[in-house]
Amino acid sequence: MISANLLAIFYLISGILFILALRGLSSPETSRQGNLFGIIGMAIAIAVTFLSIDNFSSGFLYVLLFLLIGGSIGAFIAFKIPMTAMPELVAGFHSLVGLAAVFVAISAFISPEVFNLGTSGNIKLASLIEMSIGAAVGAITFSGSIIAFLKLRGLMSGSPITFPGQHMLNLLFLISIIILTYLLCQNQSPNFFWSLIAISFLVGFLLIIPIGGADMPVVISMLNSYSGWAAAGIGFTLENTALIITGALVGSSGAILSYIMCKGMNRSFFNVILGGFGGADQVSTKISKEQKPVKSGNADDAAFLMKNASSVIIVPGYGMAVAQAQHALREMVDTLKKNGVKVTYAIHPVAGRMPGHMNVLLAEANVPYDEVFELEEINNDFANCDVAYVIGANDVTNPVAKSDPQSPIYGMPVLDVEKCKSVLFVKRSLSPGYAGIDNDLFYRDNTLMLFADAKKMTEEIIKSLN
């Protein structure tokens, strides 16, 4: 049994390590170190929590057993999961955090004396409010994350699912949660508690279904924030300092990231929180392929253009991730550099399907960090660039975001790829992106479409360059 003072010191140390972890993860160059700080902090928090248990009964052995089982499953998934499936993995893990918060709240409500919260029917008011918030946010996180997982995995349509009166229904349910929490605090009836959880599960479902696939990066960061606040709420219920600190850090950092992502997409932060920004009526801006035919080429054409260019900007997207083409891309860039071509990478804030997705993939291929630039840093360079090599990035390069007020992505800052002298666009077909609209860039006179798997096409270009 560890003393209360020593317990507080170790929790403080783990909290500091979590802060350092977030600081490190804010930059690709320090991300590995930040990840290490997070691992050490969590290891300390878990170890100290076990040492704080009064008696090592059979209950402790059960907890240890399930911890080993869960940890083994998590480790196996982490080793096996490809980077392309990381977005849905994150969504899946968020759902588990939310569900854990719900289970803890249920345990605390059914057996409050175990948690020193009072007795059944006479739970402390503050604890009742805390567990209600934790359970509600946890349930919303769980069901919302499940929908996000299904959309990202392709098991559910990525298009927005809307119906008349959807926003009013969401508002009604959110008000119901507040009223049920108030009634629960008044008479502590189990019926109010179970109704609160059931409606919260439904709210999570309704908040995410109207959000389209193009907006999934924001959804991921938003659900990350929700899971943190759910953990913090339960941390107050359990009077666990480490859980409160960790939950608050995850919740606040996720909210900040969501705000940054919304700014990068020209979206309303409050609409994101309420799950409304994908629910507006969307007008398709499909372009007639008969009226505006595309120009297609092959690897030899692409190699000729890039070899004779003085500068090339690489624009990676989810198509690159699906094809696992990052290593071939790095090899192609190295070949271009040997020929005296200046090469840089342009990363859109929401490229891929989760925040930082492209940065992680390029880091996996050991791309130098000083060659990777965000939208604001590199957008002006496209006008002076000879060739842009767009490898799977669709909506984030679509010029209609700047020209068509009826487009669902109108107002979203996009990479000014169309200003390059030549655009090489690697894509399997002319199918639209997650926003469900055609990319006007396909039909520009300076665009050459390379219809192929991103990895295969890049490897063929390498052969032609050599």
Side-chain angles (χ1 to χ4, degrees):
M1 175 66 179
I2 191 171
S3 67
N5 290 336
L6 200 56
L7 178 68
I9 291 173
F10 278 117
Y11 277 159
L12 179 61
I13 292 172
S14 64
I16 293 172
L17 287 170
F18 292 145
I19 294 172
L20 292 174
L22 287 175
R23 174 66 177 172
L25 292 171
S26 64
S27 169
E29 295 179 86
T30 58
S31 59
R32 286 187 174 90
Q33 185 184 56
N35 203 29
L36 180 60
F37 282 141
I39 293 172
I40 296 173
M42 185 56 68
I44 292 174
I46 293 174
V48 172
T49 300
F50 272 110
L51 292 174
S52 66
I53 297 177
D54 291 328
N55 53 67
F56 292 82
S57 62
S58 59
F60 170 80
L61 294 177
Y62 280 121
V63 172
L64 184 60
L65 175 64
F66 286 119
L67 181 65
L68 291 174
I69 293 173
S72 299
I73 293 173
F76 176 79
I77 292 174
F79 278 113
K80 290 292 184 180
I81 198 77
M83 284 304 303
T84 50
M86 193 59 67
E88 50 260 47
L89 175 67
V90 172
F93 281 174
H94 285 164
S95 71
L96 296 179
V97 175
L99 189 61
V102 173
F103 282 158
V104 172
I106 291 173
S107 300
F109 184 78
I110 294 176
S111 303
E113 58 278 354
V114 175
F115 301 91
N116 297 319
L117 304 178
T119 58
S120 295
N122 190 30
I123 301 174
K124 299 175 187 176
L125 178 61
S127 299
L128 205 56
I129 295 173
E130 291 159 2
M131 73 173 67
S132 297
I133 293 174
V137 178
I140 291 172
T141 303
F142 173 75
S143 55
S145 298
I146 291 297
I147 297 301
F149 173 84
L150 294 175
K151 282 177 174 265
L152 291 168
R153 193 68 178 173
L155 301 175
M156 182 178 181
S157 173
S159 302
I161 301 173
T162 60
F163 54 86
Q166 189 169 36
H167 295 303
M168 288 303 297
L169 182 62
N170 288 345
L171 180 61
L172 179 63
F173 279 137
L174 289 171
I175 293 174
S176 299
I177 290 175
I178 296 173
I179 294 174
L180 285 170
T181 301
Y182 173 78
L183 294 174
L184 180 63
C185 293
Q186 289 294 308
N187 60 24
Q188 302 193 16
S189 168
N191 292 332
F192 291 135
F193 181 73
W194 294 114
S195 297
L196 172 70
I197 292 178
I199 291 178
S200 298
F201 277 128
L202 186 58
V203 168
F205 172 79
L206 291 172
L207 285 178
I208 304 302
I209 60 170
I211 301 176
D215 298 317
M216 273 299 142
V218 185
V219 174
I220 293 294
S221 63
M222 179 183 69
L223 291 172
N224 179 49
S225 178
Y226 287 177
S227 68
W229 296 125
I234 294 302
F236 280 106
T237 301
L238 301 179
E239 297 182 352
N240 187 297
T241 306
L243 196 54
I244 295 171
I245 294 174
T246 305
L249 286 172
V250 172
S252 57
S253 62
I256 292 170
L257 180 58
S258 297
Y259 174 77
I260 294 172
M261 299 289 284
C262 289
K263 188 176 180 181
M265 296 178 67
N266 197 30
R267 304 290 192 184
S268 167
F269 180 66
F270 291 104
N271 281 347
V272 174
I273 294 175
L274 297 176
F277 65 90
D281 292 334
Q282 298 182 346
V283 180
S284 177
T285 57
K286 290 190 177 182
I287 301 166
S288 173
K289 298 176 179 58
E290 292 77 16
Q291 295 177 0
K292 303 186 72 173
V294 300
K295 293 188 295 183
S296 62
N298 54 36
D300 291 333
D301 298 325
F304 176 80
L305 285 172
M306 286 195 280
K307 185 181 292 186
N308 290 280
S310 60
S311 60
V312 174
I313 297 179
I314 310 292
V315 182
Y318 189 65
M320 182 194 77
V322 171
Q324 290 284 280
Q326 62 269 28
H327 296 285
L329 183 65
R330 168 65 193 275
E331 186 180 349
M332 184 190 81
V333 169
D334 288 343
T335 304
L336 289 172
K337 287 180 183 178
K338 291 177 182 177
N339 292 327
V341 181
K342 178 186 176 184
V343 184
T344 51
Y345 298 81
I347 307 293
H348 192 281
V350 295
R353 299 178 94 173
M354 66 180 288
H357 196 185
M358 294 300 104
N359 300 77
V360 173
L361 289 175
L362 295 180
E364 184 183 346
N366 294 315
V367 171
Y369 299 123
D370 58 358
E371 295 177 3
V372 181
F373 297 92
E374 299 291 341
L375 181 145
E376 296 85 0
E377 301 173 304
I378 200 170
N379 229 13
N380 292 331
D381 295 346
F382 283 104
N384 301 315
C385 179
D386 294 318
V387 177
Y389 186 71
V390 184
I391 179 167
N394 200 332
D395 296 324
V396 298
T397 62
N398 197 338
V400 300
K402 298 175 287 186
S403 60
D404 185 1
Q406 299 302 316
S407 170
I409 63 171
Y410 180 70
M412 182 179 84
V414 293
L415 293 163
D416 295 334
V417 175
E418 77 279 2
K419 294 181 179 180
C420 275
K421 294 177 183 178
S422 298
V423 178
L424 301 173
F425 208 120
V426 184
K427 205 172 184 294
R428 289 178 179 270
S429 67
L430 291 174
S431 60
Y434 297 121
I437 58 172
D438 287 323
N439 190 342
D440 185 49
L441 185 61
F442 297 164
Y443 311 96
R444 296 294 177 98
D445 292 335
N446 61 333
T447 299
L448 187 69
M449 298 298 298
L450 305 174
F451 294 112
D453 173 84
K455 183 178 180 180
K456 183 178 179 181
M457 173 56 69
T458 305
E459 289 173 343
E460 289 178 358
I461 292 174
I462 295 170
K463 293 178 181 178
S464 297
L465 287 172
N466 291 327

